[in-house]
């Protein structure tokens, strides 16, 4: 099952990097779905390897909440921003890829500092660092929204491997929190679109000021 987990974490890392540089909301939604399916694979592998059958409930919840429910809810909340296109930010796409690559190497090395499952944790930390870069470097409303949801998925996958001592309902609660986060973000995106007509988070500061 370790091989399955490695494939899943590799996919999570790749989709997190894809979300960092993608230029349209529809492409981001597709990558998020793929990322969520990879998290479901991590949960399935953990259920098989650790004799934790209750994790199958997490697999079902991830597929229902993150794959089936969250993307259409978020896209509906984006309103006219669903057709937005662009890659404006503090750095160009090439620079973002370089930063992501350097931080990914740091994540891989960090996973080898005495942690259990060093390869898995290394890829998990690499994805985590890339998601944090995304959340702080892309300023489109839709991109920041998917960055936060991506960060939530990466943390959820890491918790499945690292949090073996957590009670059974903890992972279920994490999935429900993901749904709540998506609903709040979709509502905020809708309000930004209808009231402020802002495409960029930085425009909101100008509007408020």
């Amino acid at each position: 099952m370790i091989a399955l987990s490695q494939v899943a974490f590799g996919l999570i890392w790749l989709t997190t990097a894809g979300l960092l540089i993608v230029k349209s909301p529809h492409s981001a939604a597709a990558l998020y779905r793929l990322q969520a399916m990879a998290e479901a694979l991590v949960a399935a592998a953990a259920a098989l390897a650790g004799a934790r059958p209750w994790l199958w409930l997490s697999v079902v919840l991830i597929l229902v909440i993150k794959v089936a429910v969250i993307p259409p809810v978020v896209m509906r909340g984006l309103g006219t921003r669903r057709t937005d296109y662009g890659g404006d930010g503090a750095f160009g796409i090439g620079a973002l890829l370089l930063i992501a690559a350097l931080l990914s190497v740091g994540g891989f090395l960090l996973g080898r500092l005495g942690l259990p499952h060093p390869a898995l944790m290394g890829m998990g930390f690499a994805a985590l660092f890339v998601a944090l870069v995304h959340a702080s470097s892309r300023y489109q409303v839709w991109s920041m929204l998917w960055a936060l949801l991506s960060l939530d998925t990466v943390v959820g996958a890491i918790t499945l491997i690292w949090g073996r001592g957590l009670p059974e309902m903890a992972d279920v609660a994490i999935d429900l929190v993901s749904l709540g986060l998506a609903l709040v973000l979709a509502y905020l995106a809708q309000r930004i679109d209808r009231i402020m007509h802002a495409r960029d988070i930085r425009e909101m500061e100008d509007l408020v000021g």
Side-chain angles (χ1 to χ4, degrees), residues 75-110:
M75 291 302 289
R76 190 175 299 113
L78 286 173
T80 59
R81 297 291 86 81
R82 290 181 296 176
T83 57
D84 200 1
Y85 179 88
D88 295 335
F91 305 95
I93 297 301
L96 284 178
L97 283 173
L98 178 59
I99 293 170
L102 292 174
L103 290 177
S104 293
V105 171
F108 292 138
L109 294 176
L110 181 60

Side-chain angles (χ1 to χ4, degrees), residues 142-168:
W142 63 266
S143 187
M144 293 195 73
L145 187 153
W146 287 116
L148 293 173
L149 291 173
S150 172
L151 181 62
D152 171 76
T153 298
V154 172
V155 171
I158 293 174
T159 301
L160 286 166
I161 298 299
W162 208 351
R164 292 178 179 272
L166 292 175
E168 295 182 0

